[in-house]
Amino acid sequence: MTFSPADHTRLEAFWRYCLTHQYFNVGYPESADFDYSLLHRFMRFSINNCGDWNEYSNYLLNSFDFEREVMRFFAELFHIPFEDSWGYVTNGGTEGNMFGCYLARELFPDATLYYSQDTHYSVAKIVRLLRIKAQVVASQANGEMDYDDLVARIAADGERHPIIFANIGTTLRGATDNIATIQQRLAQAGIRREDYYLHADAALSGMILPFVDAPEPYSFADGIDSICVSGHKMIGSPMPCGIVVARRANVERISVEIDYISARDQTISGSRNGHTPLMMWAALRSRSMDDWRERIQRCLDLAQHAVDRLRAAGIDAWRNPNSITVVFPCPSASVWKRHCLATSGDTAHLITTAHHRDSTQIDALVDEVIADLKAPGKPVTLSPLQAPLVDGLGSRNRVYSTVGQPRPELLPGHARPERDSGVARLKGSDI
């Protein structure tokens, strides 16, 4: 490639910008501690994983062998026999969620999709793209689904085949919808297991819960039908990517034969990035299961450190069980913009990902948040809903949760769902 001096200058400036900001993301769950330099040489090739990695394709420049090993890893991680599963490396969590919802719609074409107020915004897009009936379910104060509201809405709709979208770690509060509770409530309502579909969005926590001592239900052994995880979050990747795993029997419903590549395709995107399976393979092969456990525990410890410091200063900070998302009152715009915090209404959060090797960056942020929120005219008190819970394993596993506590009628920043022809709509910024 030949560039002008001005173009060279522009690229050099962007290089310096990236170096300066590569660890900016305190408010977003991307792990930036990766090194894929061994794979740089493969960027000279157009690697396209079009079709099923389990079959021959006459497009020879693919990374199917590596993708197959990645999917075997996740099948084992999520407790489903490899031969009973199928999935692929996606462009990110949204594609994984769409794939799960697509399978559910093909299984139950006229069914209603139920997802909570705290669900990622992409699901509203998926609902429109797939033209699925949908209902937004209320959330508890900690971001977890309100199970009473779920069964009430299913009953009111007379829905015989509900599609349940469960969050395994919500975007803002890091809450996990309890899969066991959902299934118990559906059984009590007289809905048989074969009559509903359960998709799990585990974009971040899918690489956390398998490595902690007391995880919430998250796997196929717990009753899910499909699950997606982001590759650029806890794993770490220079480009957005992810994986989705589903029951093979359900995937067969959407498989189509593509004659010009001599292969089948059952993906959303068709032509797929062949480099990201290489990256996921390299990340998974370069760490042992014990390495992953240590990595996750370090992030959890750092999250608890942030909670402890903020609460010691009288600020209402908390996190859900097994979550690296620390929730606290939103500071001034000058603070959250400088640290790139994620905010919603009067709430902000920080996320302790793996490139935070120590507490230096977190402490700098916490110092500013404390100074800002404790400034004159900004009283911050501890909420009675955020009582400390100790799980008996010591302070390193202590969390602050509202599970089992009285639930406010509506959370700050949330609009009340409005029923409209069987589809729940949210006002304003909640869409």
Side-chain angles (χ1 to χ4, degrees):
M1 292 183 178
T2 302
F3 294 109
S4 68
D7 289 338
H8 276 290
T9 299
R10 185 177 182 186
L11 287 173
E12 182 62 26
F14 184 56
W15 169 255
R16 292 195 300 270
Y17 175 87
C18 291
L19 288 176
T20 300
H21 296 285
Q22 62 181 324
Y23 300 125
F24 80 96
N25 49 341
V26 182
Y28 296 87
E30 287 84 12
S31 294
D33 63 334
F34 52 81
D35 179 7
Y36 295 110
S37 55
L38 187 64
L39 304 179
H40 287 178
R41 55 184 171 168
F42 294 100
M43 294 302 295
R44 66 182 292 183
F45 304 118
S46 178
I47 307 177
N48 188 332
N49 282 18
C50 185
D52 186 342
W53 47 259
N54 203 39
E55 296 186 355
Y56 170 84
S57 168
N58 63 7
Y59 188 89
L60 299 182
L61 275 181
N62 62 63
S63 58
F64 281 172
D65 287 346
F66 296 94
E67 187 170 22
R68 181 183 298 105
E69 291 190 28
V70 170
M71 299 318 303
R72 183 182 294 277
F73 174 90
F74 281 104
E76 294 174 358
L77 193 70
F78 297 137
H79 304 152
I80 182 173
F82 182 57
E83 61 273 15
D84 294 337
S85 71
W86 195 86
Y88 66 100
V89 177
T90 66
N91 292 305
T94 296
E95 183 179 353
N97 285 331
M98 178 177 284
F99 185 79
C101 293
Y102 179 32
L103 293 179
R105 192 199 66 180
E106 294 303 288
L107 187 63
F108 302 121
D110 299 318
T112 303
L113 174 68
Y114 297 87
Y115 62 97
S116 79
Q117 288 176 321
D118 280 62
T119 297
H120 190 263
Y121 73 91
S122 64
V123 178
K125 292 192 296 184
I126 292 168
V127 165
R128 292 192 292 271
L129 286 167
L130 295 180
R131 302 184 68 84
I132 304 176
K133 293 183 295 182
Q135 287 281 8
V136 179
V137 177
S139 296
Q140 300 179 52
N142 71 326
E144 187 177 349
M145 179 181 287
D146 184 324
Y147 309 109
D148 289 338
D149 193 48
L150 171 65
V151 294
R153 288 180 181 274
I154 292 173
D157 294 338
E159 180 57 67
R160 297 174 55 197
H161 300 289
I163 301 169
I164 310 298
F165 189 99
N167 292 298
I168 310 299
T170 59
T171 303
L172 185 63
R173 295 174 173 83
T176 295
D177 298 334
N178 194 303
I179 291 169
T181 300
I182 290 171
Q183 294 183 97
Q184 290 167 3
R185 298 301 299 272
L186 293 177
Q188 292 169 0
I191 301 175
R192 301 178 304 169
R193 179 60 191 92
E194 60 267 28
D195 288 334
Y196 63 87
Y197 191 100
L198 184 52
H199 174 73
D201 178 4
L204 175 60
S205 293
M207 283 299 290
I208 295 177
L209 295 186
F211 304 101
V212 300
D213 293 333
E216 297 91 332
Y218 66 90
S219 73
F220 287 89
D222 298 310
I224 65 170
D225 293 299
S226 54
I227 186 171
C228 71
V229 179
S230 291
H232 54 285
K233 293 191 170 113
M234 184 53 71
I235 298 173
S237 167
M239 58 194 74
C241 61
I243 63 95
V244 62
V245 185
R247 299 184 186 277
R248 182 180 292 272
N250 291 332
V251 176
E252 296 295 334
R253 295 173 176 271
I254 65 168
S255 179
V256 294
E257 296 287 342
I258 310 300
D259 56 359
Y260 78 93
I261 61 171
S262 300
R264 291 192 304 168
D265 181 41
Q266 52 262 58
T267 67
I268 295 292
S269 51
S271 289
R272 295 184 290 111
N273 188 331
H275 295 88
T276 48
L278 274 174
M279 293 174 187
M280 292 298 95
W281 177 87
L284 299 175
R285 295 289 292 185
S286 63
R287 293 188 178 95
S288 68
M289 298 301 279
D290 286 340
D291 291 336
W292 284 110
R293 291 187 187 94
E294 187 279 331
R295 179 181 172 89
I296 300 308
Q297 189 60 58
R298 177 160 48 86
C299 295
L300 291 168
D301 289 344
L302 192 54
Q304 189 57 46
H305 170 76
V307 170
D308 291 342
R309 282 209 58 205
L310 289 166
R311 287 181 68 85
I315 293 173
D316 187 9
W318 56 278
R319 66 186 180 96
N320 274 294
N322 297 316
S323 175
I324 60 174
T325 301
V326 177
V327 185
F328 51 93
C330 189
S332 299
S334 60
V335 175
W336 66 256
K337 286 182 178 180
R338 181 159 52 254
H339 292 275
C340 298
L341 296 179
T343 67
S344 179
D346 60 1
T347 300
H349 76 215
L350 64 86
I351 300 179
T352 54
T353 43
H355 60 262
H356 298 124
R357 295 290 184 180
D358 55 41
S359 65
T360 303
Q361 186 177 6
I362 300 301
D363 282 333
L365 165 61
V366 168
D367 288 341
E368 288 199 41
V369 170
I370 291 173
D372 180 78
L373 293 179
K374 299 298 287 186
K378 288 187 177 181
V380 180
T381 58
L382 295 177
S383 165
L385 288 178
Q386 309 300 344
L389 295 178
V390 180
D391 64 3
L393 298 178
S395 62
R396 65 188 260 144
N397 291 298
R398 189 168 68 254
V399 298
Y400 298 92
S401 174
T402 57
V403 177
Q405 300 290 341
R407 180 177 61 83
E409 192 62 27
L410 279 178
L411 299 178
H414 278 281
R416 185 181 301 279
E418 294 184 331
R419 292 179 181 267
D420 179 12
S421 301
V423 179
R425 303 181 185 276
L426 294 177
K427 295 180 179 178
S429 62
D430 291 286
I431 295 176

